[in-house]
Amino acid sequence: MEISTSRTMEENRNHTSVAVFVLLGLSDEKELQLIFFPVFLGIYLVTLLWNLGLIILIRMDSHLHTPMYFFLSFLSFIDICYSSSTSPRMLSDFLKEEKMISFIACATQYFVASWMCLTECCLLAAMAYDRYVAIRRPLQYSAVMAPGLCQKMVAGACGSGFLSSLAETIPCFHLYYCGPNIIPNFFCDITHIISLSCSNPFISQMILFLVAFFIGFGSFLVILLSYSFIAASILKISSVKGSAKAFNTCASHLVVVTIFYGTGLSVYMHPNSGHSEKQDKVLSVFYVILIPMLNPLIYSLRNKEIKEALKRVIKRAKHLLQ
């Protein structure tokens, strides 16, 4: 036993450890990459401007200083960080011949992206609870959703995401990588990285499953329960106008949750042979790049309070300039 163990260790030492990964990107065609660059640059800039604009608007207008908009401003902050963890690297890779990323940079990129994604899961659950309280207990809403509780919920979401991401990243990037080092995507996706490992990935895969179950499914369960109670309350409202008004207060959140979880499940919960490599890339683009841009649009375009707040801020700015 001792001899075979020492031989295995010697063989591992003789292998060269992977120092860089190669990202295949969205396409290997130079012409397509040059077309993709302005398109994704535009998407990234819209994501930054729209989310940042929403944060500033919520901060500037006192009418939006409510729990719902407090959570929404933090969601916009998460979307900025989430998009920024992958978009700049992807944009620079469009202009490169060799799309290489160092081992440490890859680990860092995955850690930040996973942290933001898992935090968003928890935050969407907190926002669902907020809508539940607003519809089920409207008279006690201000007392229940006090600023202190909202801050604790956001801190809890951020802390849970951080610790869960750390628990995923450390075991994954402590695995032994001896080659190949090609990731068939435009960012460091942990499912592809683990498949490149030369050592047993069982512990990493188990941690991934546990995080997905407790954070992903746990948050989804809270959302489902919240909306079950919300639906029961809406059905009890006798007037059609009252029912429509109650539904409208949570319609945007419901759309965001459906897109976020629907795309996430399509990306990560399919059999290996279920999707082609191109389909995986398209779904990844939607999940990682487009959702951070869509979230503020969904919340803003049909929201009367945000439109009125924007009018007030513009009116105030004009008055100051005069």
Side-chain angles (χ1 to χ4, degrees):
M1 278 294 287
E2 286 179 11
I3 293 166
S4 62
T5 304
S6 62
R7 276 179 184 169
T8 305
M9 288 175 72
E10 280 174 20
E11 283 171 10
N12 284 342
R13 284 194 198 102
N14 289 333
H15 283 296
T16 305
S17 295
V18 169
V20 294
F21 289 109
V22 177
L23 299 168
L24 290 185
L26 294 178
S27 174
D28 55 358
E29 293 179 31
K30 193 65 183 173
E31 293 80 11
L32 268 180
Q33 290 179 46
L34 293 173
I35 294 168
F36 284 153
F37 180 80
V39 171
F40 284 98
L41 178 61
I43 291 170
Y44 181 53
L45 291 175
V46 170
T47 302
L48 292 181
L49 292 171
W50 205 280
N51 281 291
L52 193 59
L54 197 56
I55 292 168
I56 292 166
L57 183 65
I58 291 167
R59 292 281 294 174
M60 287 180 71
D61 193 271
S62 58
H63 293 84
L64 300 181
H65 292 177
T66 62
M68 186 179 85
Y69 291 107
F70 172 73
F71 290 131
L72 182 55
S73 63
F74 192 70
L75 179 64
S76 289
F77 173 74
I78 288 170
D79 284 336
I80 288 171
C81 296
Y82 191 24
S83 182
S84 297
S85 67
T86 54
S87 291
R89 164 69 65 171
M90 181 181 69
L91 289 168
S92 67
D93 283 347
F94 285 140
L95 306 175
K96 292 177 184 175
E97 288 295 329
E98 293 184 344
K99 301 169 180 63
M100 291 190 292
I101 184 169
S102 71
F103 192 85
I104 297 297
C106 191
T108 305
Q109 186 191 63
Y110 176 75
F111 170 73
V112 174
S114 175
W115 179 12
M116 294 303 113
C117 182
L118 294 168
T119 300
E120 188 160 337
C121 287
C122 298
L123 188 67
L124 289 174
M127 292 171 84
Y129 177 75
D130 170 70
R131 293 299 83 208
Y132 158 77
V133 176
I135 292 170
R136 291 274 291 192
R137 301 169 66 185
L139 298 175
Q140 292 87 32
Y141 179 69
S142 298
V144 174
M145 298 304 293
L149 177 64
C150 294
Q151 288 164 9
K152 285 174 185 174
M153 289 172 85
V154 164
C158 194
S160 299
F162 177 85
L163 293 173
S164 301
S165 180
L166 203 66
E168 285 182 346
T169 307
I170 291 173
C172 171
F173 286 89
H174 266 74
L175 293 172
Y176 181 64
Y177 296 93
C178 58
N181 64 340
I182 296 168
I183 299 171
N185 216 323
F186 62 91
F187 71 106
C188 290
D189 183 14
I190 199 165
T191 54
H192 291 129
I193 294 164
I194 286 176
S195 68
L196 299 175
S197 170
C198 298
S199 53
N200 190 348
F202 175 76
I203 293 172
S204 289
Q205 289 170 336
M206 203 61 180
I207 290 168
L208 275 179
F209 171 77
L210 291 172
V211 168
F213 182 80
F214 286 108
I215 301 294
F217 181 73
S219 299
F220 188 59
L221 190 62
V222 170
I223 293 166
L224 282 178
L225 288 170
S226 298
Y227 275 105
S228 299
F229 288 120
I230 287 168
S233 297
I234 290 172
L235 290 171
K236 287 177 185 176
I237 299 169
S238 54
S239 68
V240 177
K241 269 191 176 181
S243 299
K245 190 179 178 182
F247 178 76
N248 282 336
T249 61
C250 52
S252 296
H253 179 260
L254 197 55
V255 171
V256 167
V257 167
T258 304
I259 293 171
F260 182 80
Y261 273 97
T263 315
L265 289 171
S266 299
V267 172
Y268 294 109
M269 298 296 286
H270 64 79
N272 291 334
S273 60
H275 290 175
S276 70
E277 197 174 285
K278 285 185 179 179
Q279 284 177 312
D280 282 336
K281 287 179 182 181
V282 170
L283 287 169
S284 295
V285 164
F286 196 87
Y287 192 64
V288 178
I289 305 297
L290 293 181
I291 285 179
M293 182 188 72
L294 292 175
N295 284 347
L297 294 173
I298 292 164
Y299 271 101
S300 304
L301 292 179
R302 293 186 63 191
N303 191 310
K304 288 181 181 179
E305 289 177 330
I306 287 178
K307 287 177 182 177
E308 286 169 8
L310 186 60
K311 286 175 186 176
R312 283 192 294 269
V313 169
I314 292 168
K315 191 177 178 182
R316 202 185 309 159
K318 283 181 180 177
H319 180 72
L320 288 170
L321 289 170
Q322 289 173 356

